[in-house]
Amino acid sequence: MTDPEVDPDRPPTRRMERAAIFTVCVVIAIIICVFVGLNLWHGQELKQDQATGDNRATEHTGTKLD
């Protein structure tokens, strides 16, 4: 029976922790990039709609009670 600390096929615990942290950071970075990208795209679409007079920004505000 081999000792787990000297088994070359089993990565050290510290190495696994770093890999897990790296993976989580990459996933978070991807989520942030997608979120920022969608917000930038939406802003450009809204700006184009307002420039052409097709302003739909007030459609979701509901009816005004004056």
Side-chain angles (χ1 to χ4, degrees), residues 26-42:
V26 167
V27 169
I28 289 172
I30 290 171
I31 290 171
I32 289 171
C33 287
V34 168
F35 180 75
V36 169
L38 285 175
N39 278 330
L40 291 174
W41 171 80
H42 179 68

Side-chain angles (χ1 to χ4, degrees), residues 20-59:
I21 290 171
F22 178 76
T23 304
V24 169
C25 289
V26 167
V27 169
I28 289 172
I30 290 171
I31 290 171
I32 289 171
C33 287
V34 168
F35 180 75
V36 169
L38 285 175
N39 278 330
L40 291 174
W41 171 80
H42 179 68
Q44 290 173 349
E45 289 291 317
L46 187 60
K47 198 178 287 186
Q48 288 175 357
D49 287 346
Q50 290 176 347
T52 61
D54 189 18
N55 188 0
R56 298 181 185 184
T58 58
E59 284 185 5

